Amino acid sequence: MRGDLGCVRFQFFFAPRFMVWGSYFAPEVDRARDTLRQVEDPFTVLPNHNSRVNQWRLFFPIIGYVFNLGDRPFLTLPFLGCLVTLSYIAALFRKHPFSLPETLLATMLMAMLPWYFVSTGWLAYFDSWLVLGLLVAAFSRNRWALLAACLVTPWIDERFVLGFPIVLLVRVALVDKASGLTKQQRSELLWMIGATLVYPVIRALALLSGNDPVTQPYASEHTSSVFAVPVSTFVAGLWQGYRVMWLFVGVFIAFAYRRFGGLAFAFACFLVVGTAFGSLVIAGDMHRSLQMLLPALVVGVIHAKVIWQRAFVGALAAAVVMMVLLPASHRLWFENYPIGRLSQELLREPPDDEELMNRGIARASQLLSEGDTRGAVMIADDLVDRLEFPVTGLLFRADLHADLGELADAEADVRRAIELAPNSPHCHFAYGVLLIEMEKRGEALDEFKKAAELGGPQWSGYADSTAAIRMLSR
């Protein structure tokens, strides 16, 4: 628990951008809205690129659906996962055994990594539970805990399957070299492999039978994007995965050399390096994928105590200071989001209504272009409900309803917009366009005349209005 409290203090140095949690078109919130749609219906299809990958991450949406969790309780689950995972990490260190100062410092270092930043800053990202599953699978001696981790965690995040070779490497590396694998340990490994294979087998069967609507489109979009990423971006993503903590990954490699040697050591290096570089290309959020190496990192920290002995606590303290001083960021293929201090975040102005409207329409338009009309309508609904003067939102939602053929709903939105802004030429012009679609040409002519009269010759839509008037007059 002391380790957990110590890690909370580092929120002062690495604070989430909580001022944008109520906004749109940001990684902190975009996927959260889609995940909450899954809670309402865990098997709903999410066609947009950002959330398509969530289609198979069903564990927590099903939990939310079965227990009827509200939005806020559901969104607290990643934060709860941080507390549980840090407690587990601290318990691992204490077993080896670390002193209280060593445990506190080592646990703090683990909380200055992307899994923690994402789980406490990006809503509905369950990286904390993924990391917990990886660590339990790598270190637990309880067969039921191992089976639960291997069966459940892939349904939280499929990166568990991709990181599973590192899990097996760690378990084998920790076996006593003199006695080798016992019968029970070999049995555990077989049970773990069998349990982990359940997830990829189900996905493969779904894909081959045509019951997987998301994997192929996601892979196609992903492959076309990865080649546009500069090499320098991959290097930056690799660094942001662990920053100073790469030192302890190196210690793990040294430990593997002493433990294996020869071809086995070469294979261990291949797994570590392959997982690291594979993490850069399997997903756009590179820094998150690199957390698949965390079990090896933990072993590196444990083994560093054996190597450095009395200097260990000083080395941990120095690493903590360096991690605090060095800049951290969410490094994605095409975006970079620096992680600022709490004092900076408190000075950030929350978005005003105009910014909310612009960001909401930008995100909804993006969803619309990707075929996620329902997601776009939900954002438009949210804008109309939240804003005090939602004229632009009403007109935008009216366009969405019209595209869906829901002309009565579109007309209701435009008429409400006109009630709120009776002197707006944009509202009357939008109503005229809608009335043409509804084949009410006489009423449309009147609306275009009002728009031209209210806007005047200087209005940007004046030429279009007069052209519509000439056409309808004929």
Side-chain angles (χ1 to χ4, degrees), residues 174-238:
L174 293 176
V175 170
D176 184 79
K177 188 175 181 179
S179 59
L181 282 169
T182 65
K183 183 178 180 180
Q184 179 181 349
Q185 288 169 333
R186 287 195 293 270
S187 175
E188 288 174 351
L189 292 177
L190 291 175
W191 277 102
M192 289 172 63
I193 292 171
T196 303
L197 283 174
V198 170
Y199 176 83
V201 167
I202 290 176
R203 287 201 62 168
L205 291 174
L207 182 62
L208 293 173
S209 63
N211 293 313
D212 182 355
V214 297
T215 299
Q216 194 167 1
Y218 180 83
S220 177
E221 294 171 2
H222 184 82
T223 304
S224 63
S225 299
V226 67
F227 294 105
V229 182
V231 174
S232 59
T233 299
F234 285 127
V235 173
L238 190 67

Side-chain angles (χ1 to χ4, degrees), residues 287-322:
H287 64 314
R288 294 180 58 218
S289 299
L290 281 161
Q291 304 310 287
M292 294 187 294
L293 284 171
L294 202 69
L297 177 69
V298 171
V299 175
V301 174
I302 293 170
H303 189 62
K305 177 178 171 63
V306 177
I307 298 174
W308 298 333
Q309 297 181 5
R310 293 183 180 180
F312 180 61
V313 68
L316 288 179
V320 168
V321 172
M322 292 178 68

Side-chain angles (χ1 to χ4, degrees), residues 233-287:
T233 299
F234 285 127
V235 173
L238 190 67
W239 167 251
Q240 287 299 334
Y242 290 104
R243 295 183 293 147
V244 172
M245 297 296 283
W246 280 111
L247 171 65
F248 294 100
V249 177
V251 174
F252 172 78
I253 292 176
F255 169 73
Y257 176 75
R258 295 179 62 182
R259 173 63 181 82
F260 299 115
L263 290 176
F265 169 69
F267 183 68
C269 289
F270 172 77
L271 283 181
V272 173
V273 175
T275 301
F277 284 95
S279 298
L280 302 178
V281 298
I282 62 171
D285 38 13
M286 302 173 286
H287 64 314

Side-chain angles (χ1 to χ4, degrees), residues 28-210:
E28 286 88 348
V29 291
D30 286 345
R31 185 174 289 181
R33 299 180 191 280
D34 295 331
T35 306
L36 292 175
R37 291 160 62 184
Q38 277 187 293
V39 175
E40 296 177 5
D41 179 5
F43 300 102
T44 188
V45 176
L46 300 172
N48 70 77
H49 177 75
N50 187 50
S51 296
R52 187 179 283 123
V53 69
N54 270 21
Q55 192 70 53
W56 286 94
R57 297 175 181 175
L58 293 169
F59 180 74
F60 282 113
I62 289 176
I63 292 294
Y65 176 79
V66 169
F67 292 98
N68 196 26
L69 294 180
D71 291 356
R72 290 189 178 182
F74 182 80
L75 294 176
T76 62
L77 292 176
F79 296 84
L80 177 62
C82 288
L83 295 176
V84 176
T85 302
L86 290 174
S87 298
Y88 189 78
I89 290 172
L92 283 176
F93 290 141
R94 289 292 286 164
K95 283 181 180 178
H96 276 86
F98 281 29
S99 66
L100 284 176
E102 291 169 344
T103 301
L104 177 62
L105 291 170
T107 307
M108 284 179 175
L109 286 169
M110 295 297 167
M112 287 188 279
L113 296 175
W115 72 269
Y116 188 85
F117 297 151
V118 169
S119 298
T120 56
W122 292 9
L123 302 180
Y125 278 72
F126 296 95
D127 292 45
S128 56
W129 294 100
L130 166 64
V131 167
L132 178 65
L134 288 168
L135 293 176
V136 169
F139 295 101
S140 178
R141 306 303 304 174
N142 184 294
R143 178 170 292 186
W144 294 110
L146 291 175
L147 286 177
C150 294
L151 283 172
V152 171
T153 313
W155 301 98
I156 297 174
D157 195 314
E158 64 281 349
R159 288 179 177 91
F160 179 86
V161 178
L162 301 176
F164 189 64
I166 295 294
V167 168
L168 295 180
L169 174 63
V170 166
R171 289 194 74 86
V172 173
L174 293 176
V175 170
D176 184 79
K177 188 175 181 179
S179 59
L181 282 169
T182 65
K183 183 178 180 180
Q184 179 181 349
Q185 288 169 333
R186 287 195 293 270
S187 175
E188 288 174 351
L189 292 177
L190 291 175
W191 277 102
M192 289 172 63
I193 292 171
T196 303
L197 283 174
V198 170
Y199 176 83
V201 167
I202 290 176
R203 287 201 62 168
L205 291 174
L207 182 62
L208 293 173
S209 63

Side-chain angles (χ1 to χ4, degrees), residues 353-366:
D353 282 5
E354 183 178 359
E355 183 180 353
L356 282 177
M357 183 67 69
N358 292 336
R359 296 184 72 87
I361 289 178
R363 175 59 178 162
S365 300
Q366 183 185 59

